Amino acid sequence: MKEGKRARRHQMLNKSLKRKETVYVGNLFFDMTADDLRTAMEKFGVVEMASIIHDNRGLSKGFGYVRFSTIEEAETAIAQQNMQVLEGRTTVVQFANTAMSRSEVDKTAPTFTLFVGNVPYEMTDQDVNALFEDIHNIVDVRIPVDRRSGMPRGFLHVEFLDIPSAVRAKEMLSLRDPYGRKLRINYAAPMKMQQRRSIPEEPEM
């Protein structure tokens, strides 16, 4: 009953907000990264930018923003994901009160860590080892799995000894297509920083 009232309240709120390409996504797990959010929302359209909001300590506030390429894609995300379960939590998805700037979309500064997306679900541990066989200075590879099914979620985080190694690896991996799928490679926040962001704080609504 409470969920129904909450859903109706958010529907009315969405009607009062200006239609735009950017949506607010709330009630997220505090260990969810921007790459996790991007992957979850790509089924609704082309995601130009995904961002998790952090406090001044670098900890996630439990919400973020996603900018789609069109308003129609944003509307699809709201219609299909608002008040629906994402990674075990009922999310709030609505038009954002503010829009993402183009400068935020274009942030591509190299880091020690690579996000490797569009990874085929059928890849085995042997396939993953072969993918990185000739890539040097890898410190750690993280393969996120679904909390409920225990199955891989279709992306990896790879941490390197230094930034030049990550830059070289990005160039090499961008040319590979395991099982016929083109990998999507982006720089990401170091995994140790992501782990420090797991302490919860009350999300802003």
Side-chain angles (χ1 to χ4, degrees):
M1 191 68 178
K2 289 183 179 180
E3 289 294 331
K5 290 182 179 179
R6 189 180 301 173
R8 288 192 294 273
R9 178 162 58 88
H10 286 296
Q11 287 173 358
M12 294 192 62
L13 179 59
N14 268 313
K15 289 180 180 179
S16 67
L17 292 171
K18 182 180 178 181
R19 295 169 68 248
K20 56 177 70 70
E21 295 89 351
T22 305
V23 299
Y24 162 92
V25 186
N27 200 34
L28 299 172
F29 272 108
F30 294 99
D31 61 355
M32 178 169 275
T33 67
D35 291 327
D36 295 336
L37 181 59
R38 173 188 288 273
T39 299
M41 302 301 282
E42 281 181 334
K43 61 186 175 183
F44 304 120
V46 178
V47 175
E48 292 190 344
M49 204 280 288
S51 175
I52 298 292
I53 304 304
H54 302 92
D55 63 17
N56 56 12
R57 298 170 295 170
L59 305 178
S60 169
K61 290 187 174 183
F63 69 93
Y65 295 93
V66 177
R67 177 171 177 162
F68 290 95
S69 62
T70 68
I71 292 176
E72 289 73 23
E73 291 171 342
E75 289 177 326
T76 298
I78 292 170
Q80 297 188 24
Q81 188 61 57
N82 185 43
M83 303 309 297
Q84 300 300 311
V85 175
L86 175 64
E87 294 296 319
R89 301 193 72 167
T90 301
T91 56
V92 173
V93 184
Q94 62 193 37
F95 288 118
N97 287 318
T98 184
M100 293 295 186
S101 67
R102 179 60 59 180
S103 62
E104 289 176 302
V105 175
D106 292 338
K107 286 180 180 177
T108 56
T111 67
F112 291 88
T113 305
L114 292 181
F115 166 84
V116 183
N118 203 34
V119 175
Y121 293 107
E122 60 266 41
M123 283 189 71
T124 64
D125 289 343
Q126 185 176 356
D127 292 331
V128 173
N129 290 334
L131 181 66
F132 298 108
E133 185 176 16
D134 58 348
I135 295 177
H136 305 293
N137 295 330
I138 293 177
V139 174
D140 193 15
V141 177
R142 176 189 169 206
I143 307 177
V145 298
D146 186 89
R147 290 185 177 88
R148 289 159 293 180
S149 68
M151 298 296 292
R153 296 172 58 193
F155 62 92
L156 312 170
H157 285 94
V158 187
E159 192 163 299
F160 292 85
L161 183 64
D162 51 41
I163 290 178
S165 297
V167 172
R168 286 193 296 270
K170 185 175 186 293
E171 294 174 353
M172 296 171 68
L173 290 169
S174 65
L175 301 175
R176 300 182 180 177
D177 55 350
Y179 289 87
R181 297 185 65 173
K182 183 74 172 178
L183 297 173
R184 179 166 58 81
I185 317 296
N186 292 314
Y187 296 110
M191 287 184 279
K192 290 181 180 179
M193 176 63 73
Q194 294 171 15
Q195 292 168 0
R196 287 200 295 269
R197 291 172 180 169
S198 61
I199 302 175
E201 179 176 300
E202 189 70 23
E204 295 180 2
M205 299 295 290

